[in-house]
DNA sequence: GGCATAATGCAATATTATAACATAACATAA
DNA sequence: TTATGTTATGTTATAATATTGCATTATGCC
């Protein structure tokens, strides 16, 4: 009776290269439209954030950036990438609504509605680390109503639900 | 038309001593019932977390603990309190559901339903730093439904809404 | 008291994030 | 085209948050 049509969690089989290229293309379009610059660094960071459907920490991005530069350098000689470099790029991407920050993990994940102002619900698997971004009109209405009742003016909303995704529950069942 | 009967945000006038003593008494009862120990340290940390209705960081608790000890010491000579001391006490209090962690602030706040297993919604004021803990059946149902649709087994829920409380909106309006 | 367990003390270190200032890249107008 | 202002990045240092590992002390039970 339970249905997971395509599943909000992507399978291990899906064409992830497509996820990445779509995200990069959308980001370029959004930035173009807004007259802001998706510089090579920012684009690289966005690509790294999209390297999987698992939220990635700033320092993991930093390490990956570093590795990329070593690969690109003619002889492997490169200066180290420093934290502010990464944090500034992440801040830019957050500001343009191209990524989300997962507060409970101090980590970042690509946004599936790039550029759109919206409040999302995240399902975060404690088993495999994957996260799925959902929208629920009912949920947002409930939050709006609760805030309105309290006379509270909403600025930002974070809804983060941790647990086990369908695959990881299956793995446990088998054991 | 908008109503804030007593207001989910406590006023500056309320009897906060009562908040604290109620919280400490409830905590003692909960721990008694469960056969776990609300040691002097844990009790002190709980009291510090309840010192205001603003989420407090672990290191602020640490500093306050330190100050308390200096006051209590006969001559002011005391050893420093180390981070693990505070984090362990906070972990205990979280485990007993006597406090909540606000993920978006890396901070902690007293629970208004001590000991009860529940998912709360927090309204967090960016103006004054106060936070209000609410329950919304509609909201929790919406989250449960979204998770169920995805075949996701919930373990923990964090709903954190940042914005401006009624008082802080007023302050802006006046300006 | 002797023993097991739980709690705390303590030192070191890991992880996450920001401040402050210098340089480089880019745009545009004299 | 150089001058100039602006935005982006580099660089160094440090702040803020959190954990690991082991030693010591307190507590409860026999
Ligand atoms: Zn993908
Ligand atoms: Zn999973
Ligand atoms: Zn109070
Ligand atoms: Zn306020």
């Amino acid at each position: 009776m339970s249905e997971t049509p395509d599943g909000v969690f992507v399978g291990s089989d899906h064409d992830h290269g497509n996820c990445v290229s779509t995200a990069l293309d959308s980001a370029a379009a959004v930035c173009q439209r807004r007259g802001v610059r998706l510089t090579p660094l920012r684009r690289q960071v966005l690509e790294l954030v999209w390297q999987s459907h698992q939220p990635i920490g700033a320092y993991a991005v930093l390490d990956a950036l570093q590795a990329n530069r070593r690969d690109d350098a003619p002889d492997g000689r490169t200066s180290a990438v420093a934290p502010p470099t990464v944090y500034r790029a992440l801040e830019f991407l957050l500001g343009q609504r191209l990524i989300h920050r997962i507060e409970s993990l101090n980590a970042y994940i690509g946004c599936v509605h790039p550029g759109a102002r919206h409040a999302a619900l995240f399902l975060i698997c404690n088993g495999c680390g994957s996260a799925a971004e959902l929208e629920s009109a009912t949920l947002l209405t409930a939050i709006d109503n609760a805030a309105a009742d309290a006379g509270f003016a909403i600025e930002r909303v974070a809804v983060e639900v941790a647990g086990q995704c369908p695959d990881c529950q299956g793995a446990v069942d088998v054991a």
Side-chain angles (χ1 to χ4, degrees), chain A residues 14 16 19 53:
Chain A
H14 83 286
H16 188 61
C19 297
H53 292 270

Side-chain angles (χ1 to χ4, degrees), chain A residues 11-167:
Chain A
S12 51
D13 52 335
H14 83 286
D15 177 7
H16 188 61
N18 187 51
C19 297
V20 177
S21 60
T22 301
L24 292 177
D25 290 351
S26 304
V30 165
C31 291
Q32 171 90 26
R33 179 150 37 83
R34 292 185 183 153
V36 296
R37 293 164 51 199
L38 185 63
T39 63
L41 172 66
R42 291 165 174 174
R43 194 187 142 92
Q44 254 187 105
V45 170
L46 180 58
E47 186 168 6
L48 287 168
V49 169
W50 268 102
Q51 85 187 181
S52 79
H53 292 270
Q54 308 176 352
I56 185 175
Y59 279 74
V61 171
L62 194 158
D63 290 346
L65 250 185
Q66 201 109 272
N68 282 358
R69 291 200 180 177
R70 266 195 302 278
D71 292 350
D72 293 352
D75 56 352
R77 290 197 33 66
T78 38
S79 61
V81 179
T85 299
V86 170
Y87 280 101
R88 284 189 289 226
L90 291 172
E91 192 177 13
F92 170 84
L93 297 171
L94 284 170
Q96 300 304 321
R97 306 182 202 282
L98 298 172
I99 62 175
H100 291 280
R101 175 179 160 87
I102 305 296
E103 299 290 350
S104 55
L105 296 177
N106 297 328
Y108 305 82
I109 192 167
C111 174
V112 301
H113 300 300
R117 177 185 302 268
H118 65 293
L121 155 66
F122 286 96
L123 300 180
I124 304 157
C125 179
N126 287 329
C128 62
S130 293
E133 179 178 349
L134 272 61
E135 306 266 352
S136 163
T138 317
L139 178 131
L140 295 181
T141 303
I143 290 176
D144 284 347
N145 288 342
D149 286 354
F152 188 87
I154 296 179
E155 291 174 354
R156 286 194 326 283
V157 173
V159 183
E160 302 178 8
V161 179
Q164 299 289 328
C165 74
D167 283 1

